[in-house]
Amino acid sequence: MKKELSYFSIEGAFGGNQDWFTNVVMHFGGCAAATACDSSIYLAREKGLTRLYPFDRNALNKKDYIAFSQKMKPFLRPRVHGVCRLWMYTEGFGNYLKEVYQEEKIPLKMEEFSGDHTWQEAAEFIREKIDRGFPIPCLLLEHQNRKKFEDFIWHWFLLTGYESREEDGQFLVQTGTYGEALWFSLEEMWNTGFEEKGGLIGYEIPPQGLRMAGDSV
C-alpha cells in the first residue's frame, strides 16, 4: 500500500527550500523554521487553517516563502545546538499559532512522538497521520550511516508519504526537504545507532477546531 499527500510545489520545487534563505543564519540553521513554514502552507491549503500563511496560498513563490521564513524565525530561531528537542519545535510553532490566533481557540494540536519508540511503532504513527492527511515533522539527530543521511543529520524535515510492502516487510517513507522528495527505509532511518534520539511531531485538528477559530477551507 502506498500513500502520498497532495503536496504543494513552489516554482518547481517540492515544497520550500532552506537553501533559498538569504539570511545567513537561516540558510545554515533554519531547518525547523522551514519545516514550520511548509507545515503552515500545507495546513492553509489543504486543512482550512488559512491564517497560518499570510501570503497568497494559491500563488506560491520563492519571494513570499523567504519573507515568510523571516516571520517564522523568531519562533524557531537557529541556535548553537539547533532546535534539537521535540519540545523546542512544539513550543516554538505553538507560540506562532498563539500569535496568529491571539485569544481565539487554537485549532491545531501537536503530539510529540519520541525516537525511543521502535520503528514499527513509528510506522503505525506515520501511517495514521498520513492517512488523515497530515504531514509529519521529523527530527533526525546523529546517524551511523553518515554518507547516506548526510543531508538529514541534525535536521528537521517533513514526512509526506509512506509505502508499506507486505511482500518483504519494508516500510518506506517519503521525505520532503531542500525542495526534494526522497524515499527511505524507515527501519534504516529510525535505527540511528546512537543513544540520543530525535522523533516525530503529530498534527491534529480537534473537532470543531476550524469553526471555533474562525478559519475556513
Side-chain angles (χ1 to χ4, degrees):
M1 180 179 180
K2 188 174 184 179
K3 182 73 175 286
E4 296 177 57
L5 297 178
S6 178
Y7 208 59
F8 64 92
S9 63
I10 302 178
E11 299 185 21
F14 186 83
N17 189 336
Q18 183 182 339
D19 282 341
W20 297 339
F21 296 163
T22 52
N23 179 276
V24 175
V25 175
M26 286 288 282
H27 182 85
F28 289 102
C31 58
T35 299
C37 287
D38 283 32
S39 296
S40 297
I41 293 171
Y42 179 89
L43 293 167
R45 286 168 57 90
E46 303 293 335
K47 292 297 185 179
L49 303 187
T50 55
R51 281 186 270 179
L52 291 188
Y53 185 60
F55 301 95
D56 187 346
R57 66 185 188 277
N58 297 313
L60 302 175
N61 59 76
K62 290 182 182 180
K63 181 180 177 181
D64 288 347
Y65 185 81
I66 293 168
F68 186 36
S69 74
Q70 288 299 104
K71 291 180 179 291
M72 192 64 73
K73 179 183 176 183
F75 302 96
L76 287 160
R77 59 179 178 79
R79 58 202 80 182
V80 175
H81 298 292
V83 181
C84 59
R85 297 290 183 270
L86 299 180
W87 67 264
M88 292 180 178
Y89 183 91
T90 56
E91 180 180 85
F93 192 38
N95 286 335
Y96 173 71
L97 294 170
K98 290 176 184 177
E99 179 171 283
V100 169
Y101 289 98
Q102 298 181 3
E103 299 302 320
E104 299 178 65
K105 182 74 173 181
I106 296 174
L108 185 72
K109 290 185 176 180
M110 289 181 278
E111 176 186 356
E112 298 173 9
F113 185 92
S114 169
D116 290 327
H117 287 85
T118 67
W119 75 265
Q120 293 93 338
E121 292 169 331
E124 289 307 307
F125 185 86
I126 292 165
R127 187 198 306 269
E128 191 267 336
K129 292 301 178 185
I130 297 291
D131 284 350
R132 292 176 64 85
F134 291 96
I136 304 164
C138 180
L139 171 64
L140 182 65
L141 298 177
E142 267 289 0
H143 201 286
Q144 57 191 353
N145 191 340
R146 293 188 63 87
K147 183 176 180 180
K148 184 170 187 177
F149 293 99
E150 179 182 6
D151 290 334
F152 294 83
I153 289 174
W154 289 93
H155 188 58
W156 281 95
F157 52 95
L158 283 171
L159 303 182
T160 57
Y162 72 83
E163 182 178 1
S164 181
R165 298 178 177 175
E166 294 184 3
E167 65 274 13
D168 58 9
Q170 286 284 308
F171 190 90
L172 308 180
V173 289
Q174 183 185 59
T175 64
T177 188
Y178 292 114
E180 291 185 307
L182 298 172
W183 289 87
F184 293 101
S185 159
L186 177 64
E187 181 179 8
E188 184 179 9
M189 186 177 76
W190 194 261
N191 294 330
T192 65
F194 287 82
E195 183 177 352
E196 189 175 22
K197 308 290 185 182
L200 309 171
I201 303 294
Y203 293 138
E204 188 62 46
I205 298 175
Q208 307 303 316
L210 292 176
R211 183 182 61 80
M212 288 187 293
D215 278 351
S216 61
V217 178

